[in-house]
Amino acid sequence: MEDKIDKSDIDILMDVEFLVSVIVAIGEVANITGVPQRKIRYWDEKGLIEPVDTTSTTRQYDYLNIKKIVLIKDLLDEGYTLDTTAKKLNERCQKMAEVFKRAAALTKK
DNA sequence: ATTCTTACA
DNA sequence: TGTAAGGA
């Protein structure tokens, strides 16, 4: 694999940097994903998702969270149980986290 | 105006 | 899961 980056790659990386900085409340997430707030809070209670500021009185969600929520919705729609969905979620979450970490590291160079 | 928790015609 | 109540 080629690891050399050019100018267009930098542009994309900056977009990613912006995306990961975006933080929204549950209402926005519900609008964007189409998942009812009720479900989002429920999945939160079940530990499927982790809002980015546990000290806040309100749930704060970042891009990764939104990504997870959409993933959960799709998995559930496919017929998986909440439990197996949680496991499949973690697998893909680790991969996503790695990708974002590398992207973030690249933008700093 | 928006979110939070609790509870159930 | 939907939704209404009641407080923050």
Side-chain angles (χ1 to χ4, degrees):
Chain A
M1 276 298 166
E2 181 60 79
D3 62 341
K4 184 177 177 56
I5 61 177
D6 57 30
K7 193 173 185 302
S8 64
D9 289 328
I10 297 295
D11 287 337
I12 295 175
L13 256 20
M14 286 175 70
D15 287 338
V16 172
E17 187 176 45
F18 168 72
L19 278 179
V20 298
S21 72
V22 172
I23 293 179
V24 295
I26 195 171
E28 287 291 329
V29 180
N31 288 327
I32 297 172
T33 65
V35 177
Q37 297 185 15
R38 178 71 173 83
K39 287 187 182 178
I40 297 176
R41 294 196 180 100
Y42 182 65
W43 298 344
D44 185 356
E45 291 177 31
K46 295 303 178 184
L48 295 217
I49 49 181
E50 186 79 20
V52 283
D53 184 3
T54 56
T55 66
S56 175
T57 59
T58 62
R59 280 167 258 252
Q60 311 284 86
Y61 297 100
D62 60 9
Y63 180 76
L64 239 34
N65 273 310
I66 296 174
K67 201 74 184 176
K68 289 182 188 177
I69 290 171
V70 173
L71 193 52
I72 294 171
K73 175 172 71 75
D74 292 339
L75 256 22
L76 251 27
D77 285 343
E78 287 174 28
Y80 292 105
T81 65
L82 207 62
D83 198 65
T84 59
T85 291
K87 292 174 182 174
K88 286 183 173 292
L89 185 68
N90 286 326
E91 295 174 15
R92 252 177 273 190
C93 273
Q94 289 183 29
K95 293 177 183 176
M96 281 196 292
E98 288 176 24
V99 173
F100 273 76
K101 223 167 193 175
R102 289 176 187 169
L106 286 175
T107 53
K108 291 179 180 177
K109 291 181 180 177

